[in-house]
Amino acid sequence: MSTPYEITTLTRTDHPNPPAHTVRPPLAPAEIPPGVEVVTLPDGRRTLAYTQPPAPGGPTPAPAPAAPPSPGVPAWAKTTALLAPTVGVGIGAGGFGLSYAAPGVLAMTDALWAAAALVATGCGGAALLLGRWRNRAPAQITQNITATGLFGRANGTINQ
């Protein structure tokens, strides 16, 4: 399996005219060593690059990548256009399901109101019964507190 490598080149932007020692004349086809080929970069420039010959009987090299999408339609618009039918179908299915579930939902709300009324009635009845069963005699509490001196300790008793 051949591994694709990204080809990058270093371009200097600090000199409008590169020094003479960095400019090399192009190589003649006979001077190109084996395993090196002239390749065209994505921006259109041609340069030399090391390549690996395909193994005999091995996989063929991957085809060139497809051309980039047309600049007229942005990617977000395409994504939205593809998602719109999905969202619409989802909303339609939800409405269809609710129409089937409506009788059950209405029955459940009636049952919940009945349960709430039962709980409220039970709590009210329990409060009434506890009020009647409680001892109606008023509680009488007597306290006797004594203290001696200005800073003396207070003692007291509570009688019911």
Side-chain angles (χ1 to χ4, degrees):
M1 178 174 176
S2 65
T3 306
Y5 295 99
E6 181 179 347
I7 300 172
T8 59
T9 58
L10 177 64
T11 57
R12 296 190 62 168
T13 58
D14 56 347
H15 293 291
N17 298 323
H21 69 277
T22 61
V23 177
R24 296 185 184 139
L27 293 174
E31 295 176 332
I32 297 175
V36 176
E37 292 182 20
V38 177
V39 295
T40 304
L41 298 176
D43 61 357
R45 290 182 295 149
R46 294 177 55 114
T47 186
L48 294 175
Y50 288 103
T51 59
Q52 295 178 347
T60 59
S70 63
V73 180
W76 66 267
K78 291 180 181 180
T79 304
T80 304
L82 291 173
L83 284 177
T86 306
V87 172
V89 168
I91 291 172
F96 189 70
L98 282 177
S99 69
Y100 270 109
V105 171
L106 291 176
M108 285 192 319
T109 57
D110 291 342
L112 285 175
W113 279 116
L118 180 66
V119 168
T121 305
C123 290
L128 283 175
L129 285 177
L130 287 176
R132 288 183 184 221
W133 288 344
R134 256 195 331 193
N135 189 0
R136 290 288 186 179
Q140 201 161 22
I141 299 173
T142 307
Q143 286 184 335
N144 296 323
I145 299 174
T146 58
T148 56
L150 183 60
F151 297 105
R153 187 173 188 155
N155 295 320
T157 58
I158 299 175
N159 298 321
Q160 289 189 358

